[in-house]
Amino acid sequence: MFRVVLAHMGTVSQNGVKRLAMDGAEVVVFPAPAQLFEAAANEFFRTIYDCMKRDSVCRMAVAGGSTPKSLYTLIADRVDKGQARGIDWARVHLFFGDERCVPPDHPDSNYRMMKQTLLVHGLTAAVHRVQGELPPEEAAARYEEELREEFGDGVLKFDLIILGMGPDGHTASLFPGSAALNDHTRWVAANYVERLKSWRITLTYQVLNSASEDLFLVSGAEKAEALAQVLKGADLPAAKVKPAGKLLWYLDAAAASGIAGR
Ligand code: 6PG
C-alpha cells in the first residue's frame, strides 16, 4: 500500500475533522462525505455573502462530474429552506470549469447535471453555459469571448473555482498528456482527450491560477493514490493548480487514505 508521509502539522477538531497546512494549501480531511459537502456549501455561500457585502458581482466556476452533485443538491436545498437569504442572485455569475462537447440535454452534459441539481428551487443565478453542441474550437472561442466580456477591463479573477479530480490526477478537463496542459495564452481551450476519445472544453491554468480561491472536492478511495501523488507535487494536472489566492482541498477519509498524517 502506498503511503505518502506528509510531515505537516495537523490539527484535529472535536468532530474528527483534520486540518493540514502544506505547501501553501490547506488540506481538510472529513470523516465522511456528508461533512465534506456541508463544508463546501458553507464555502460557496461565504464567498457569495462576501461579494454581497462588498456590493460586487460574485463570479464562480463550478466543476462537473459526479462528486459535486451532492454539493449542488445541498446548496439548492438550503435555498429552498430559506437558509440563504439576502442574496441578489442576479449578481451571482456561475461559469463551468469544463464541459463535454455534447448538447445541453445530453446525459454527459455538465450543464444538464447542474440544471437537475443546483438550478432548482428558485436559485436564479446567471448561468454561463458552454455551448457544447458547437464544434469544439468554436465552443471554446465563444466561451472565452463570454469570459472576457464578463471580466471586461477588470482583472481575470474568479472569486471561487470549485474543482474535482479524476483517478488519473486530471482536473477540469486538463487530462494527463493533453494539449491544453501547455496552453498558457488562452483562457478556454478545446482539448482532445485520447483516453476518452472525445473533445472537452476546459478553463486553462491561466484562469484556474488567477482565482481568489480554488477549492478541490475529492471523495472516494479510487482517488487516493492520485491524490497522494498530487499532494506530493507529482507531475499531474491537478498538482499544477497553484492559485494566486487560496488553495483548499476538501477530502473525505477514503480519498485521504493514501496520505499519512491525516
Ligand atoms: C468533468 C469534471 C472533471 C471531474 C473529475 C472528477 O467534467 O468530469 O469537471 O474534472 O471533476 O473527472 O469526476 P467525478 O467527480 O465524477 O469523480
Side-chain angles (χ1 to χ4, degrees):
M1 172 72 168
F2 57 90
R3 283 179 82 78
V4 171
V5 179
L6 296 173
H8 301 274
M9 290 307 291
T11 59
V12 186
S13 66
Q14 71 280 12
N15 56 359
V17 175
K18 173 93 179 180
R19 292 176 183 280
L20 294 163
M22 42 180 288
D23 304 330
E26 185 180 345
V27 178
V28 188
V29 183
F30 299 90
Q35 289 164 282
L36 182 160
F37 295 120
E38 287 289 346
N42 294 343
E43 196 63 12
F44 177 88
F45 285 111
R46 183 197 59 74
T47 304
I48 294 176
Y49 282 120
D50 282 357
C51 291
M52 297 294 117
K53 273 184 227 143
R54 295 198 306 269
D55 200 22
S56 71
V57 169
C58 184
R59 298 179 179 98
M60 294 196 257
V62 293
S66 56
T67 301
K69 285 180 185 172
S70 307
L71 168 63
Y72 301 157
T73 302
L74 180 59
I75 289 167
D77 286 352
R78 287 194 188 178
V79 173
D80 186 39
K81 290 181 187 134
Q83 295 168 355
R85 297 196 189 287
I87 295 176
D88 174 3
W89 287 106
R91 283 199 285 134
V92 178
H93 287 245
L94 297 179
F95 289 81
F96 288 83
D98 67 325
E99 182 55 283
R100 292 79 182 281
C101 290
V102 295
D105 57 355
H106 189 283
D108 290 349
S109 164
N110 285 333
Y111 172 74
R112 179 174 179 267
M113 180 271 284
M114 179 194 266
K115 258 183 66 179
Q116 293 173 337
T117 54
L118 183 62
L119 304 179
V120 292
H121 306 316
L123 192 154
T124 55
V127 177
H128 298 263
R129 179 179 76 85
V130 179
Q131 294 174 277
E133 65 277 18
L134 295 177
E137 287 299 345
E138 187 180 346
R142 287 198 185 198
Y143 207 55
E144 176 146 346
E145 255 171 58
E146 191 161 343
L147 264 182
R148 288 185 185 277
E149 272 165 36
E150 177 63 31
F151 285 97
D153 302 333
V155 175
L156 163 65
K157 182 184 261 194
F158 274 100
D159 296 291
L160 176 64
I161 299 181
I162 297 175
L163 294 164
M165 190 198 77
D168 60 355
H170 82 264
T171 188
S173 280
L174 297 166
F175 283 79
S178 65
L181 294 175
N182 304 308
D183 188 328
H184 303 296
T185 49
R186 289 185 296 182
W187 291 4
V188 183
N191 198 27
Y192 186 73
V193 184
E194 186 57 42
R195 178 167 65 82
L196 303 175
K197 297 280 185 279
S198 65
W199 285 89
R200 294 280 188 96
I201 306 300
T202 186
L203 297 184
T204 60
Y205 285 121
Q206 190 174 179
V207 180
L208 304 186
N209 289 340
S210 64
S212 295
E213 178 176 327
D214 287 333
L215 169 60
F216 277 95
L217 307 181
V218 187
S219 169
E222 74 281 6
K223 312 283 179 81
E225 183 158 359
L227 181 71
Q229 295 305 316
V230 164
L231 292 179
K232 202 175 59 165
D235 182 17
L236 291 170
K240 313 288 185 206
V241 176
K242 299 275 182 200
K246 216 161 119 183
L247 177 57
L248 264 175
W249 288 85
Y250 282 4
L251 317 173
D252 64 11
S257 58
I259 50 175
R262 62 171 175 81

